[in-house]
Each structure stands twice: as structure tokens, then as C-alpha cells.
Amino acid sequence: HREFLTDICRKFNEAGIRTSIFVDPVVEMVEGAKACGAQRVELYTEAYAAGYSENREAAIAPYIAAAEEARRVGLGLNAGHDLNTENLQYFIERIPWVDEVSIGHALISDALYWGLENTVEIYQRCIRRAHNIEE
């Protein structure tokens, strides 16, 4: 589908719309997104979240490799899927150049218990801690 993605990225980029392609944490997929003209990639973090409690170092390893490749080829970096208060801080500590994270499902689920304002603050605190920003 590279031809299709290349055409879509070109049209969006010409219209001033930032393009990001959702990829697995595979270096070749990052390279493919760059070849298509994307400006960012979003790493699909379900496998990281699933493996985090068992072995967080092993779970993060392919994401670090993919993130380093994105940075090497000049792509911005997003991440998302199943990130939550348990695994978000470590992810950002290990890949601090992440531009954006998508946390919709976990955030809204947590908000049912803690309230939306409190939940947003809790997630922001995870991010600040990962960047060693004092509160």
C-alpha cells in the first residue's frame, strides 16, 4: 500500500496537514513511513503494555530501536495504545523524545474513578516525572 500512502501523505502535506503513520515497533516500518513522506510515526504500544509487567526491559527494547530509527531519519514520534499510569512513565523515561502519546481509553476509564481533572493531572505527573520536572 506504499503507493497509496505516498499519495495521501503528499496531498495532506501540501495542504499543511501533518501526517503520521501508525506502525508496529519495527525499524523497517519506520523506514517505510519515511519513504511514504510521513512527518511522524505513531508506535503501536499494545505489545509493550502487554509485556511490561513481566519484563519491562524486553518489552521496551523494540520500541527504543524503532524510536531511534525515527529520530535518525527525521520523523517525529508519537506512541499509543494501552499506555496507562503503570507503564507510561517508564516508556517516556526510556524514549524521552516522544512528541505525543495517545491515552484515550485508559484516561477515560480512570476518570470514572478519579474524575477527569484529577486523572489528567495524574497522567501529566507521570510525564513530568519521566522528564525529571519538579512539581
Side-chain angles (χ1 to χ4, degrees):
H1 304 289
R2 182 172 287 185
E3 185 178 326
F4 173 76
L5 286 174
T6 300
D7 187 47
I8 293 298
C9 285
R10 182 185 50 76
K11 288 177 182 175
F12 281 16
N13 292 338
E14 288 172 358
I17 300 168
R18 182 177 65 210
T19 54
S20 179
I21 296 179
F22 203 55
V23 299
D24 287 325
V26 176
V27 169
E28 292 80 12
M29 291 185 84
V30 173
E31 292 167 349
K34 177 67 175 179
C36 289
Q39 296 164 329
R40 288 189 182 185
V41 288
E42 180 165 341
L43 299 178
Y44 179 51
T45 54
E46 180 183 30
Y48 163 74
Y52 178 82
S53 61
E54 185 175 319
N55 185 338
R56 68 185 191 172
E57 291 82 15
I60 195 75
Y63 292 89
I64 292 171
E68 287 174 344
E69 179 64 12
R71 186 166 57 172
R72 188 187 74 74
V73 299
L75 290 173
L77 182 66
N78 298 350
H81 195 85
D82 291 343
L83 294 173
N84 59 38
T85 57
E86 294 177 24
N87 59 36
L88 176 61
Q89 182 176 334
Y90 183 73
F91 190 90
I92 294 174
E93 286 171 353
R94 297 302 309 270
I95 309 172
W97 61 93
V98 172
D99 294 305
E100 296 177 12
V101 291
S102 300
I103 313 173
H105 183 265
L107 190 141
I108 295 302
S109 296
D110 291 342
L112 294 173
Y113 296 100
W114 301 327
L116 187 57
E117 187 175 336
N118 289 334
T119 302
V120 169
E121 176 55 34
I122 290 166
Y123 279 90
Q124 288 176 332
R125 193 176 310 131
C126 288
I127 293 168
R128 287 192 301 269
R129 281 190 204 133
H131 289 294
N132 294 311
I133 298 172
E134 304 234 354
E135 298 188 36

